[in-house]
Amino acid sequence: GGSASPGKAASPLEASPVPGGLAGFADVVARLAELREVTLQVDAERYIRPGLMQPGHFTCELVDGAPANLLARLKAFLERETDLDWTVEQVRSTAETVHAAEIRTREEKFAAAAEHPAIAAALKSLPGATIVEVTDPLPENVINLSNRRKKA
């Protein structure tokens, strides 16, 4: 259901506001990072395949190796942040964990870089050479200050 002014019917397409601004699992992970809840953040990123998230209700699947108390810790965090009672339940999910998505994205970047003609030629001509880092190019109107030389 949506929210509406008194005396005015709510539009069925109007979403109700989410307390604490946690509209999805990405918001939860971002809030954990912001609050430096490192252990819970790392566990959530590594072991939770997120499902549906609505105010007071979160579904997910845990991958093998997840700490036994992970869902209880996540539930307590959600309740602290939103002042709502939360139900956190396990269901089957086809979603990736945050950690798995990061690995997949990194591998896709490396594969795309290796297919570039200049890089493919360099890798072929230098036996044993590997790609160690792939960075996204900076927009043309941005100056990268991290590479400035320090004055002696």
Side-chain angles (χ1 to χ4, degrees):
S3 60
S5 302
K8 182 179 173 187
S11 165
L13 299 176
E14 188 177 327
S16 59
V18 178
L22 302 177
F25 189 66
D27 294 332
V28 172
V29 172
R31 181 68 54 81
L32 288 166
E34 177 184 318
L35 297 174
R36 294 189 173 108
E37 296 272 354
V38 177
T39 303
L40 182 54
Q41 177 191 351
V42 169
D43 287 348
E45 290 176 344
R46 187 170 299 271
Y47 298 112
I48 293 177
R49 289 184 180 146
L52 178 67
M53 185 168 181
Q54 298 174 332
H57 189 84
F58 177 65
T59 63
C60 64
E61 180 177 3
L62 295 179
V63 298
D64 291 339
N69 66 349
L70 177 55
L71 294 183
R73 291 171 30 226
L74 180 63
K75 180 182 186 308
F77 172 78
L78 291 169
E79 289 177 348
R80 255 190 340 267
E81 288 299 303
T82 64
D83 289 329
L84 290 176
D85 288 330
W86 280 79
T87 300
V88 177
E89 68 177 315
Q90 286 196 67
V91 297
R92 288 264 181 210
S93 176
T94 57
E96 293 178 296
T97 65
V98 172
H99 183 68
E102 288 171 351
I103 290 170
R104 180 186 45 75
T105 300
R106 183 174 189 263
E107 288 172 352
E108 288 171 354
K109 283 182 177 183
F110 276 60
E115 290 175 6
H116 187 279
I119 295 172
L123 291 171
K124 186 176 180 180
S125 68
L126 300 168
T130 59
I131 298 171
V132 295
E133 185 176 4
V134 177
T135 58
D136 293 323
L138 292 172
E140 290 185 30
N141 62 347
V142 174
I143 299 169
N144 185 356
L145 298 177
S146 65
N147 293 331
R148 293 188 324 179
R149 290 186 178 184
K150 294 181 181 180
K151 294 183 180 182

